[in-house]
Amino acid sequence: MAKIHPFKAIRPTRDKVNLVASRSYQSYTSFERDSRMDYNPYSFLHIVNPGYKYHKEISGEERYKLVRNRYLEFKEDEIFMQEDSPCYYVYKIVNREQESFCGIIAAASTEDYHNDVIKKHEDTLQDRESTFKEYLKTVGFNAEPVLLTYPDNDSISKIISETVGARAEYEFTTTNRDTHYLWKIEDQKSISEIQDAFSSIKTVYIADGHHRSASSYLLSQDLKENNPEHNGNEAYNFFMSYLIPESDLKIYEFNRLVKDLNGLSKEEFLIKLDEWFRIENRGPEVYRPSKPHHFSMYIDDEFYSLYLRKTTYEFTDALEELDAQILYKTVLKPILGIEDLRTDTRIEYSHGKNGIVKVKSDVDNGEYKVGFGLFPASVEQVKKIADEGLKMPPKSTYIEPKLRSGITIYEF
């Protein structure tokens, strides 16, 4: 049963939250990062990019220590404040397309992660796990929640609905036209009801944040070994999460772009595809797949539809039914010679929010020879793969909502 606890967040004062909040560090170009830090002294980017102050790229342990210093300075300058008592936080995002996401920010258990109460659908890289664990150990906080999803629950939905009827603690709109809201849940009755409701949920699923979850678990084990008075309730036994109901989760596909045809002519390539797919030339008109196991392909100014020949391809488990896996097993690996989807420089990915037109544009400009459009996976597919203990290929899903960093911070 899921252990989902309230916690005493460190968070920006109400007047500065819109200035502090930032996207994840990796989502900015270096020019965008510098521009924001040039004109906004309150941006959370100053904390996670401490070398900016010294006009120098800093990495490793030196960077981690400076991140810690910048964070403490934000606290000393009262840009951040800390909650007096443990709370849950209802967090709502309404994006520019008027899609709404609403859930609860809370502390999830590293033990639940280890015991598969919190289930995974992606592999993690050991080097990244260890690196981020050392980062967390030095800085002592986490500012970007892991995105978890749970089966829709009437009790939790009722409390959320009642909470959002009051004035929000935070309400601000970002430059990309997403509006963010945050409410505190601090009365003990509601806190107990939420905790009880989650304790009745057998399984929750990681939607986004597999490496952060894994690193938090490794950190908890390190700190446990060095604490002779460990009792399991220490803050390091939990990690900050944003839990949203499955009905609120939005999954987009990741389309594939490949730089060459692995030495094949276009005609030879199409003949090899014919073993696995029924192929139709759709001409220059943009074509998008409309259901699972159908793909679009763009090459030499023309779109093609690829319909999987189910008499040839065998569905043996949930992973084998995933379109990203089908494309890998039938095209990318055997025909185009792409073995490792993480490291091969001949393949690139474009998430579905960019649209199939982005794939067309990247092929037209000569950077890539062929592009493939996929149909997005469903929540049910993701859950089934996790339930069977399987792992998706890299870049199988692009999941929203994407959260801002620095709005709530979890210390351990």
Side-chain angles (χ1 to χ4, degrees):
M1 303 304 149
K3 294 186 285 293
I4 306 297
H5 289 189
F7 68 102
K8 295 194 288 185
I10 309 292
R11 56 187 181 85
T13 55
R14 190 199 293 244
D15 62 313
K16 294 184 178 67
V17 62
N18 64 314
L19 298 170
V20 172
S22 74
R23 303 199 311 265
S24 64
Y25 177 82
Q26 296 86 354
S27 70
Y28 294 97
T29 66
S30 58
F31 175 77
E32 288 175 323
R33 283 196 301 268
D34 289 350
S35 296
R36 280 159 173 75
M37 289 187 286
D38 281 344
Y39 298 104
N40 180 6
Y42 300 109
S43 174
F44 193 75
L45 292 172
H46 285 283
I47 294 177
V48 294
N49 188 27
Y52 171 83
K53 182 176 181 178
Y54 302 106
H55 308 289
K56 180 182 177 184
E57 287 290 332
I58 301 173
S59 60
E61 185 66 23
E62 184 180 24
R63 173 177 172 259
Y64 306 163
K65 290 177 180 177
L66 288 177
V67 168
R68 176 71 179 170
N69 291 345
R70 295 292 86 75
Y71 172 64
L72 293 176
E73 288 169 6
F74 268 51
K75 291 180 71 175
E76 291 162 3
D77 292 341
E78 298 184 345
I79 298 168
F80 289 143
M81 47 82 69
Q82 183 166 24
E83 220 68 73
D84 294 327
S85 59
C87 299
Y88 288 114
Y89 302 88
V90 174
Y91 186 33
K92 180 179 179 181
I93 305 172
V94 180
N95 65 21
R96 63 191 301 170
E97 292 87 15
Q98 294 304 301
E99 295 170 322
S100 179
F101 308 93
C102 192
I104 292 177
I105 296 178
S109 165
T110 58
E111 182 183 15
D112 283 353
Y113 172 84
H114 179 65
N115 293 333
D116 245 15
V117 175
I118 298 173
K119 290 195 174 182
K120 316 92 179 165
H121 66 264
E122 288 183 6
D123 275 326
T124 52
L125 301 175
Q126 190 172 354
D127 286 350
R128 284 186 62 188
E129 290 179 13
S130 298
T131 297
F132 195 59
K133 180 202 72 173
E134 294 304 318
Y135 170 82
L136 292 174
K137 185 184 287 188
T138 302
V139 303
F141 68 86
N142 196 340
E144 188 175 351
V146 171
L147 182 62
L148 301 178
T149 189
Y150 61 90
D152 288 42
N153 181 282
D154 290 342
S155 297
I156 298 172
S157 295
K158 182 174 181 293
I159 294 172
I160 289 176
S161 179
E162 292 170 350
T163 300
V164 301
R167 182 193 178 195
E169 180 74 12
Y170 296 151
E171 179 181 351
F172 65 97
T173 300
T174 61
T175 53
N176 65 349
R177 301 180 188 175
D178 292 348
T179 302
H180 298 251
Y181 306 83
L182 183 135
W183 294 263
K184 293 195 300 179
I185 297 179
E186 52 189 337
D187 67 284
Q188 195 55 51
K189 179 176 180 292
S190 295
I191 286 175
S192 296
E193 288 176 358
I194 292 171
Q195 210 156 4
D196 289 345
F198 276 116
S199 69
S200 70
I201 295 174
K202 183 179 178 181
T203 306
V204 296
Y205 297 83
I206 299 175
D208 190 21
H210 285 78
H211 282 94
R212 279 171 280 150
S213 304
S215 301
S216 295
Y217 172 70
L218 292 177
L219 176 69
S220 71
Q221 298 308 292
D222 270 15
L223 297 181
K224 173 183 176 180
E225 289 176 5
N226 293 310
N227 181 8
E229 299 181 2
H230 172 86
N231 60 30
N233 294 317
E234 296 87 354
Y236 60 71
N237 295 295
F238 299 86
F239 57 96
M240 186 168 63
S241 300
Y242 180 43
L243 297 108
I244 69 170
E246 292 171 5
S247 59
D248 266 16
L249 203 64
K250 180 73 173 178
I251 302 179
Y252 294 90
E253 72 281 8
F254 262 106
N255 299 315
R256 273 72 170 133
L257 292 145
V258 182
K259 291 186 176 179
D260 60 66
L261 297 183
N262 197 27
L264 300 172
S265 68
K266 177 184 173 182
E267 291 72 24
E268 291 169 333
F269 178 55
L270 289 172
I271 289 170
K272 287 185 177 292
L273 286 179
D274 195 83
E275 177 185 353
W276 296 102
F277 301 94
R278 181 160 57 85
I279 305 169
E280 293 183 19
N281 188 322
R282 300 282 178 163
E285 184 177 348
V286 171
Y287 174 78
R288 299 173 179 84
S290 58
K291 59 183 180 179
H293 314 328
H294 290 189
F295 303 84
S296 65
M297 181 177 72
Y298 184 70
I299 183 171
D300 284 353
D301 303 318
E302 293 180 312
F303 281 93
Y304 292 80
S305 58
L306 307 180
Y307 298 89
L308 182 67
R309 297 185 189 276
K310 296 180 182 178
T311 54
T312 305
Y313 186 91
E314 185 178 2
F315 297 129
T316 55
D317 55 37
L319 179 60
E320 297 303 310
E321 295 185 22
L322 184 73
D323 282 358
Q325 178 73 355
I326 292 170
L327 192 69
Y328 174 67
K329 287 195 66 175
T330 60
V331 181
L332 299 179
K333 182 179 178 180
I335 301 176
L336 294 179
I338 296 172
E339 296 280 345
D340 192 331
L341 294 171
R342 295 183 185 276
T343 60
D344 198 308
T345 58
R346 294 169 55 230
I347 188 168
E348 190 53 74
Y349 306 91
S350 177
H351 62 70
K353 285 205 80 173
N354 288 334
I356 198 69
V357 174
K358 174 69 162 55
V359 173
K360 178 181 184 302
S361 175
D362 287 347
V363 173
D364 284 344
N365 68 25
E367 189 175 356
Y368 301 95
K369 179 63 177 177
V370 61
F372 299 94
L374 283 70
F375 191 77
S378 66
V379 174
E380 290 72 24
Q381 277 185 295
V382 173
K383 289 175 58 179
K384 193 174 179 183
I385 287 170
D387 288 342
E388 293 182 14
L390 303 169
K391 300 296 184 288
M392 291 183 173
K395 302 292 187 183
S396 291
T397 57
Y398 180 84
I399 296 179
E400 287 196 330
K402 299 294 183 188
L403 304 184
R404 294 268 156 165
S405 297
I407 295 177
T408 57
I409 296 171
Y410 183 79
E411 285 189 348
F412 33 80

